[in-house]
Amino acid sequence: MISPATPRTPAGVDPKALAAVRDLVARAERPVVLTGAGMSAESGVPTFRDAQTGLWERYSPEQLATEEAFLADPALVWSWYLWRARMVRGVEPNAGHRAVAAWQERVPGLTVATQNVDDLHERAGAEVLAHLHGSLFAFRCAACDAPAEVDVTALGDDDAPGSEADLEALLREEPPVCAACGTGRIRPDIVWFGELLPAAEWDATYAALDACDLCVVVGTSGLVQPAASLPFVALGAGAPVVEVNPDVTELSSAVTHRLAGPAGLVLPAVVG
Ligand code: APR
């Protein structure tokens, strides 16, 4: 007889692998959850490998998420980030974010480190050790690095945050000039291609993985370094690594268990 506490195995997931992972989860005292864009996909935030829509069809994220792009056309890059920040404001954490938060409540030694620049883990109630690629809601001067406050709710089209109409309004915005140095432009505090990851976040994540007894990697293609190397720190430390992703990735052949399904279905089945 199936006990009421045993969740259904999501379609596509190997039941044996799910049982093995549930057992690892039940015993883990210092687990680390590493997340990428797929974690937020079911909330409605497009991943980086998804086709972009509207005006953004003409650009790849790699063309917009660079310092060169910002210097060449500050208003275009600025509006892309404001638009994304406003779009994220309009969506909610999904069942996967909530499962991670519930797991952390049960196991306070659980660490969350994310490549995502949204705040959906926090809004689900989890504490995040590291935003390895920065945040859509933090800003700084491109010249002197002074932090800056930008109220993303006060810009664009209030009636339709994240929409095409919102974008039209945002495209008229120029990045403000820094109040501290008076010359630099304000940019999102996000790690662009070719830039270094924040050292404190990187070191803290590395240390957590080196000491972990389980690592769960959710929704990342494993294509962008150095974040893609992090699961190997856990493997090197002798910890099992579980991948949660509907698609095969660069990491799949190296992991201990692969759960082939979406985060919003698989994580509640793993943790619940
Ligand atoms: N649940 C789990 N995984 C999913 C889901 C889902 N519902 N939907 C999609 N995925 C997986 C995809 O199969 C893919 O492997 O999420 C992954 C998303 O990959 P990317 O878009 O490459 O996201 P990520 O790995 O986080 O990108 C890394 O690239 O553009 C930069 O800095 C940006 O942080 C980003 C980095």
Side-chain angles (χ1 to χ4, degrees):
M1 201 182 94
I2 296 176
S3 96
T6 307
R8 275 185 43 208
T9 304
V13 171
D14 174 2
K16 279 198 187 127
L18 180 62
V21 173
R22 281 175 59 81
D23 195 43
L24 290 170
V25 165
R27 284 185 285 126
E29 292 174 359
R30 299 175 310 281
V32 176
V33 180
L34 295 175
T35 64
M39 181 80 225
S40 300
E42 288 151 272
S43 292
V45 182
T47 73
F48 294 90
R49 312 304 138 190
D50 283 342
Q52 301 213 90
T53 53
L55 170 86
W56 308 119
E57 278 170 21
R58 287 191 263 141
Y59 306 91
S60 69
E62 287 85 349
Q63 279 175 294
L64 293 163
T66 66
E67 189 180 22
E68 293 73 39
F70 184 69
L71 294 175
D73 194 342
L76 179 77
V77 173
W78 182 242
S79 60
W80 188 55
Y81 280 102
L82 290 180
W83 179 77
R84 290 180 61 210
R86 289 170 58 76
M87 180 255 295
V88 165
R89 276 274 172 269
V91 304
E92 297 300 328
N94 63 55
H97 295 107
R98 290 194 294 275
V100 171
W103 186 14
Q104 190 181 49
E105 202 174 312
R106 230 165 53 210
V107 181
L110 182 146
T111 295
V112 179
T114 185
Q115 295 174 74
N116 296 344
V117 293
D118 64 48
D119 58 355
L120 296 176
H121 278 302
E122 288 92 339
R123 280 163 55 198
E127 189 184 314
V128 175
L129 176 79
H131 275 277
L132 293 161
H133 291 167
S135 163
L136 279 171
F137 307 104
F139 300 88
R140 65 178 164 88
C141 174
C144 76
D145 273 347
E149 294 280 331
V150 176
D151 181 1
V152 299
T153 60
L155 303 165
D157 178 346
D158 251 356
D159 291 335
S163 68
E164 291 291 311
D166 197 40
L167 181 56
E168 288 295 319
L170 292 174
L171 282 167
R172 292 189 288 274
E173 298 284 342
E174 289 281 340
V177 171
C178 173
C181 70
T183 52
R185 292 283 181 175
I186 300 303
R187 58 165 278 181
D189 197 1
I190 279 183
V191 179
W192 283 334
F193 287 99
E195 295 184 332
L196 293 176
L197 271 59
E201 265 89 347
W202 175 263
D203 290 348
T205 305
Y206 196 101
L209 286 163
D210 203 30
C212 77
D213 49 10
L214 172 64
C215 172
V216 180
V217 185
V218 187
T220 175
S221 58
L223 291 172
V224 176
Q225 293 292 357
S229 69
L230 285 170
F232 294 92
V233 178
L235 285 172
V241 174
V242 175
E243 179 177 54
V244 178
N245 195 316
D247 297 325
V248 171
T249 71
E250 298 291 309
L251 183 65
S252 299
S253 59
V255 297
T256 320
H257 296 289
R258 192 176 125 63
L259 301 177
L265 287 179
V266 172
L267 289 172
V270 160
V271 169

